Amino acid sequence: MKKPRRKTLVNLAMCLLTMSVTVACQQSSKNPKLTVEELDYNDSLVYHAMDEDYNQALLVVDSLEDVRALYDAKICFYRAQIYFKMGQELSAELYYKKALAGKALEEERPSISYFAYDQLSTILTIKGDQQGALATATEGYAKAKDDNTETGLHWQAILLHDIGYCQMQLGREEEAQKNFTHAYNTLKRLAMQTQKYDNIYSWARVAYNIMDAYTSTNNYDNAEKWVIAAEEAIAKLVSSPDCPKRTAEEYLGSLNTHKAIVYVKTGQPKQAEEAYQRFLQSPYADTNIGLVDNSEYLENAGRWSDLANLTPRLDSLATAWGMPKSMYYLKTYLVPFFNAYQKSGRTEQAMSIAQRIVDSVDSIDSYERKHNAAELAIIYETKEKEAKISEQAASLFEQRILTVAIAVVLVLVFFVIFLYLKFKSARSLAEKNQELERKNNELTIANARAEESSRMKTNFIRQISHEIRTPLNILNGFTQVLTTQEAEIGAAEKKDIQQRISENTTRITELINKMLELSEASSQTIIERQDDTTAMEVASEAIEHSGITKATHVRFDMADENGAGRIRFKTNIRYATRALALLLDNAQKFTKQGSVRLIVSQQDGLVNYAVEDTGIGIPPEESEHIFGEFVQLDEYYDGTGIGLAIARSIVRRLGGDITLDTSYSGGSRFIMTLPIKDI
């Protein structure tokens, strides 16, 4: 981040000094009434500071708050903008929520509140809270829907595209397509009719985001169609005389990386390489954001060695941005770093990143606790303000009634009003007490749920940390043995060490993959079923992936009832075998000594996979609870408590289901079903 020039800081200081003298003579209320000219002047101070230095901009906002030159909602709005530009999305989220809590932004200028809703929805999307992002965009669209001005239509389209983006992430593609088309056509019409730069920019931005929505959900065929639409809008943007050079370079460069990803995923390697080379030759490729786009393409193209070469620069960039140690940071940066090093054969660097993953996991729970506490504080403060406003409104109404009554008759009406007010006060007090009791009960329930969720997350993080540290210690020990010059190692011992290094590297990779799969456990996105396979092929691959045939503590066998294994049907082999392998893993994990049996059968148009074990069993009353995230009924057994949740999520998105057979008493029996015909 560049430092502000000394002359600029002096000018800002003089402006603030002049402004403070002016505002000091105004009313000292918390939210002063300012003229349009004063608001515009204060806005200019903040935006001028933002152009120079974001930290300096925060100081300017603090100074404006100290001299009561801006109302609370506007202060929060500016802080949210600045934190978002600094890459601190969680802080920006809290301040946008606080700014939108009342009607102050909307009353000053509706377009400001529309902008805040759009930004907050974007932040929640980045965070992975698609339901929250959808609710925010829908609320903003409802407010803008009745605004038939050019500005209103402009923001209606932007918020509608926000809604569509969330719907795509949630698997509601048909609804998203309608909203995308409407938003795109509206902004294109406004841009062509008015030729205003703001409308042209919004058209290009929305077209780009729609293209990104399809690529981020792996819908590459439709993404290719929207690439053409985005090219048209971006071409109009960069040809505008008002378009800054940097903006043009960013949009053209990022468009080429998206095109390269789409082409490589749709089997057009030549076109992909051409688009990628155009990106590399652009000035955008040398920027920080361009570096991130470059890494995204290399990861999608499977060019792990090239990605590993970029990883040190990406790591330095993430550190410079001061990104908090959150699940988003872990998934977006550290895990791709690990994959790049591991898949390009750079074991030492991969081990270093794996250790950082462990250290990051340890701090995630503490960070998310602080963020959730801050959000709860904002919600509580907002409710408290709303209660005070309601009390003030009620008090003003009562005073007016009393004044009119005294003016009509002095004695008789006074007595009547006295009785009326006494009765009303008593009733109001009773209602408030009931409302307070209800809110206290709600708060008690919410606190209990939060504590339970925190406990489960803490146990999960401790378990993951332990699970990763164990193979790391083994790898570290064997690495020291192999690198010790004095050590004389025989061929057999060396082969055994290499095999155990490979096994523990695979174990770390499996743990990280399971953590990533956890982020999809609550997803409702439908998994495409395009693989033509047999029931036995799915069973065989799952058995191999689980390694159950190599387990020494259990006996395993499989039964094919009435030739059901020969049934051909369409599914997604990778996901189906993953889900079944998780059930087999679960069976052998909770069976200390005994047997595990896999039975393949057919019934009512479904392929059934029954996994039976002679393990510790599950009480019938826990038949649904066991599928929750981080749930472990017996903490003395190793595990993370997420395998069953991931398996059921996968199978349900394949059109089937996983249930616990509560009638089975010899241990546990899980039944996984997959549809034979398309639904």
Side-chain angles (χ1 to χ4, degrees), residues 621-642:
E621 61 271 19
E622 298 289 343
S623 61
E624 281 302 314
H625 180 232
I626 195 66
F627 290 101
E629 298 173 7
F630 317 118
V631 173
Q632 280 187 282
L633 300 183
D634 191 334
E635 297 182 354
Y636 290 97
Y637 283 77
D638 292 336
T640 58
I642 62 175

Side-chain angles (χ1 to χ4, degrees), residues 16-61:
L16 288 173
L17 179 60
T18 303
M19 178 196 63
S20 64
V21 173
T22 302
V23 175
C25 299
Q26 297 177 349
Q27 55 186 340
S28 60
S29 62
K30 192 171 183 180
N31 290 319
K33 296 293 183 181
L34 300 173
T35 65
V36 174
E37 291 76 12
E38 289 170 333
L39 288 171
D40 289 343
Y41 176 69
N42 296 337
D43 288 344
S44 67
L45 289 176
V46 177
Y47 285 118
H48 181 66
M50 288 171 64
D51 288 339
E52 296 295 327
D53 183 277
Y54 295 137
N55 287 313
Q56 183 62 31
L58 287 173
L59 292 176
V60 172
V61 172

Side-chain angles (χ1 to χ4, degrees), residues 304-305 307-308 311 335-346:
W304 302 111
S305 181
L307 181 57
T311 293
V335 171
F337 294 170
F338 175 82
N339 287 335
Y341 284 137
Q342 195 263 337
K343 293 183 179 181
S344 61
R346 306 182 190 186

Side-chain angles (χ1 to χ4, degrees), residues 327 456-457 459-461 463-464 467 510-522 578-579 582-583 586 589-590 625-633 638-650 658:
M327 273 296 182
M456 290 191 298
K457 284 185 179 179
N459 291 340
F460 168 71
I461 290 172
Q463 185 65 37
I464 283 294
E467 291 282 341
E510 284 293 317
L511 284 168
I512 293 174
N513 287 338
K514 187 172 287 188
M515 291 171 65
L516 293 179
E517 287 178 326
L518 176 62
S519 66
E520 296 183 1
S522 59
R578 177 58 177 161
L582 287 170
L583 292 182
N586 184 75
K589 186 182 300 177
F590 292 97
H625 180 232
I626 195 66
F627 290 101
E629 298 173 7
F630 317 118
V631 173
Q632 280 187 282
L633 300 183
D638 292 336
T640 58
I642 62 175
L644 291 177
I646 293 172
R648 173 180 269 192
S649 173
I650 290 173
I658 296 179

Side-chain angles (χ1 to χ4, degrees), residues 449-460:
R449 290 176 178 172
E451 289 176 2
E452 176 65 14
S453 175
S454 176
R455 185 189 68 79
M456 290 191 298
K457 284 185 179 179
T458 299
N459 291 340
F460 168 71

Side-chain angles (χ1 to χ4, degrees), residues 498-541:
Q498 289 174 342
Q499 180 179 355
R500 296 182 68 179
I501 287 176
S502 177
E503 290 173 352
N504 283 277
T505 301
T506 302
R507 183 178 176 186
I508 292 175
T509 303
E510 284 293 317
L511 284 168
I512 293 174
N513 287 338
K514 187 172 287 188
M515 291 171 65
L516 293 179
E517 287 178 326
L518 176 62
S519 66
E520 296 183 1
S522 59
S523 173
Q524 299 178 1
T525 304
I526 300 299
I527 299 175
E528 292 187 2
R529 297 183 287 118
Q530 297 180 342
D531 300 328
D532 189 10
T533 185
T534 65
M536 186 57 66
E537 183 178 356
V538 172
S540 299
E541 290 193 21

Side-chain angles (χ1 to χ4, degrees), residues 236-250:
K236 180 67 175 178
L237 174 67
V238 300
S239 65
S240 172
D242 295 327
C243 181
K245 181 180 178 182
R246 180 177 176 181
T247 299
E249 291 173 350
E250 288 178 352

